[in-house]
Every structure is written in C-alpha cells, then in structure tokens.
C-alpha cells in the first residue's frame, strides 16, 4: 500500500544505513495490547521494524508493495514477509491474517505517508482485535548533526534546499511531522491526530555512513531520473571537507514523530 518503486533502487543501501528504532518504542507499544499473538508491519521495507516487533509478538506478517525491498528483508523465524501488490484486494489481504479481528498490533514505520490512507485505514479497522488492538505509525525528519561546525550546517542546508523540487508529494506529511496526517483512531495517550508524540533517534556515523544515508533518500534517485545529480562530485567533496574528514565520527539526530490509536468505541 505504499508508493511503488520509490525505494526499489536504494533497497540495498536502505538496509545498510537507516537508523535503528529504539527497543523502548516496541516495548511501549507491546504494553498497550493485552494479546500478543499476531502483528502486521505494513510497508515493512527490509523488515527493520518487523524484527523488533517480533520480540514481543508470536508472529509478525510483514508486507510491502516493493519486491526489491522484500528481497533484502532481514530473516527472522517469527516474521513472514509477503509481497502485496496494489492489485491485491482488501478481502485477499484480510484473508492472509485469518480474517477480521485477528491482529493485535499494526505498525507502519516511515511509510504511511505514501499509502492510500482511506483504503489502508479501512483494512486496519477490519483487522484489529476489538477490544485491544492498536495501530502505531511513525516517521522522522531529515537528520541534523549534533555539534556540527557552521560550514557543515550551511552545506547540508544547501543540499536540502536543492532537493526540495524533487520530493514526492507524500513527503509533505513528513515535513509537517504528521500534524496534518489523517489518523481516524481514538487516542491511547501516545500521540493522536494533529498532535503527534515527539521522539528522538540518534546514530553514530562516519562520513561514509552519512553519505550512504543521504543516498538512500528517494529524492536522490527521483532527481537523477530527471537529469539532476544532487550528490555530484563537487557536493560530496564539500560535504566531506565540512564534515572534517573521513575519520571523524559525528552523531546524527533524527526528530521523530508517532501516532498511536485504537478503533473508536472499543471497550
């Protein structure tokens, strides 16, 4: 149910460099559901969130419209990866889970803004266990660098600005930090429609890791398809110089936002 092809070209890079979600998030979500039989990680990509969900649930079904992402998924005995093309009907999707009311937790990590939201939310409301089922969606803004020298801040700002014309429409919800993202679920006290829970992730990175993170952005391939190389040799050199050299380790800080809810009128 996510945008087809946006991350296909970067699937392998995406797997190697995206920041790891804190374990505490999954423990927090697990504590909200009285049952821990089945979870659905939608828009799973390479399974980065799915394998963490699996620590707390007996089985996780992880789905994605991208075959390339699924082909790079991280194996886990409790996670079943399934390619779900847009042609799959809602009833076919629900049947994969054994029918309605079977899912304890639905997670969408850094992907829901690409979805056909009315369709996705309709499926979620049918699948979630009632009472007790929970949906959680989250994403993060482009990173900042802690204690970055002014030259690095300026170079990164120029890169972000040059990328703006090539961002897909779905990114507007990320820029708004999910404050404008429709989320028709009842609040459970951890972020709600219009008022996301603000969180933070940090990642220690060399310049090479930082560069690979940037290369994993969908906007890089989108711009290249239009004949624009946002990470041309000159920009890479500027970034490396401003970073302070290839041996310097810096902290990337990702401003993260989450919405968590349940189907309305649950007991």
């Amino acid at each position: 149910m996510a945008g087809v092809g946006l991350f296909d070209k970067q699937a392998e890079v995406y797997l190697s460099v995206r920041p790891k979600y804190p374990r505490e998030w999954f423990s927090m979500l697990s504590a909200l559901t009285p049952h821990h039989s089945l979870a659905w990680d939608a828009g799973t990509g390479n399974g980065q969130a799915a394998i963490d969900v699996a620590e707390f649930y007996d089985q996780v079904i992880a789905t994605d419209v991208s075959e390339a992402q699924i082909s790079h998924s991280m194996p886990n005995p409790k996670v079943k990866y399934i390619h779900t093309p847009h042609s799959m009907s809602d009833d076919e999707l629900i049947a994969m889970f054994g029918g309605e009311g079977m899912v304890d937790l639905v997670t969408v990590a850094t992907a829901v803004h690409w979805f056909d939201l009315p369709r996705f939310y309709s499926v979620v409301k049918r699948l979630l266990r009632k009472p007790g089922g929970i949906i959680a969606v989250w994403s993060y803004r482009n990173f900042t660098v802690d204690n970055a020298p002014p030259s690095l801040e300026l170079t990164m700002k120029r890169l972000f600005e040059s990328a703006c014309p090539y961002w897909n429409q779905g990114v507007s919800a990320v820029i708004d930090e999910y404050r404008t993202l429709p989320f028709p679920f009842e609040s459970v006290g951890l972020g709600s429609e219009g008022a996301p829970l603000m969180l933070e992730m940090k990642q220690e990175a060399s310049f090479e890791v930082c560069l690979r993170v940037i290369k994993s952005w969908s906007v890089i391939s989108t711009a290249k398809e239009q004949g624009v190389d946002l990470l041309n040799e000159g920009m890479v050199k500027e970034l490396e110089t401003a970073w302070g050299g290839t041996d310097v380790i810096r902290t990337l800080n990702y401003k993260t936002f989450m919405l968590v809810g349940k189907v309305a009128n649950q007991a």
Side-chain angles (χ1 to χ4, degrees):
M1 288 188 171
V4 179
L6 282 168
F7 296 94
D8 286 359
K9 294 182 178 66
Q10 302 109 307
E12 190 170 357
V13 174
Y14 194 100
L15 171 63
S16 66
V17 297
R18 287 293 174 121
K20 182 172 175 57
Y21 305 120
R23 182 183 183 277
E24 292 76 17
W25 296 4
F26 301 96
S27 176
M28 172 182 71
L29 296 174
S30 172
L32 295 173
T33 66
H35 304 279
H36 299 85
S37 299
L38 180 61
W40 175 23
D41 187 47
T44 194
N46 55 50
Q48 184 180 1
I51 60 171
D52 288 318
V53 174
E55 183 178 346
F56 300 93
Y57 291 81
D58 296 337
Q59 183 184 10
V60 179
I61 294 179
T63 65
D64 205 287
V65 297
S66 169
E67 286 187 278
Q69 288 283 358
I70 290 288
S71 71
H72 287 92
S73 58
M74 296 178 276
N76 183 291
K78 293 168 67 177
V79 179
K80 182 178 182 180
Y81 292 101
I82 302 177
H83 174 231
T84 50
H86 284 305
S87 58
M88 180 177 285
S89 71
D90 293 355
D91 287 342
E92 287 175 319
L93 190 60
I94 288 167
M96 289 188 339
F97 294 88
E100 299 188 8
M102 299 296 291
V103 175
D104 300 305
L105 175 70
V106 175
T107 54
V108 191
T110 322
V112 80
H113 45 277
W114 303 117
F115 286 13
D116 174 346
L117 290 177
R119 181 186 178 194
F120 173 65
Y121 289 150
S122 173
V123 170
V124 169
K125 288 176 180 180
R126 291 173 64 185
L127 278 175
L128 280 179
R129 187 190 293 266
K130 306 172 195 63
I134 293 293
I135 175 174
V137 304
W138 66 88
S139 191
Y140 52 84
R141 295 285 302 270
N142 290 330
F143 63 81
T144 58
V145 182
D146 287 356
N147 303 312
S151 60
L152 180 58
E153 290 184 341
L154 289 171
T155 306
M156 291 296 298
K157 181 181 179 183
R158 196 165 74 255
L159 174 61
F160 292 152
E161 290 174 348
S162 68
C164 283
Y166 306 99
W167 283 113
N168 186 282
Q169 182 179 344
V171 175
S172 62
V174 176
I175 293 172
D176 293 338
E177 298 172 351
Y178 280 8
R179 288 185 174 88
T180 57
L181 184 84
F183 191 70
F185 296 92
E186 186 177 320
S187 173
V188 294
L190 294 174
S192 58
E193 187 174 65
L197 173 68
M198 303 308 294
L199 299 163
E200 190 177 80
M201 289 190 298
K202 290 183 180 287
Q203 178 185 21
E204 299 301 304
S206 64
F207 175 71
E208 179 60 29
V209 169
C210 176
L211 188 61
R212 287 174 66 84
V213 169
I214 297 171
K215 287 180 177 178
S216 75
W217 297 347
S218 62
V219 72
I220 299 299
S221 64
T222 300
K224 188 165 288 188
E225 287 169 359
Q226 299 180 39
V228 176
D229 186 1
L230 295 173
L231 280 176
N232 57 60
E233 187 177 343
M235 173 56 72
V236 172
K237 189 62 179 176
E238 279 191 64
L239 284 169
E240 182 180 342
T241 300
W243 184 271
T246 56
D247 295 333
V248 175
I249 302 297
R250 297 190 182 278
T251 302
L252 309 186
N253 194 331
Y254 299 83
K255 188 177 184 181
T256 312
F257 28 94
M258 179 181 287
L259 302 170
V260 186
K262 63 180 181 177
V263 177
N265 301 318
Q266 287 192 36

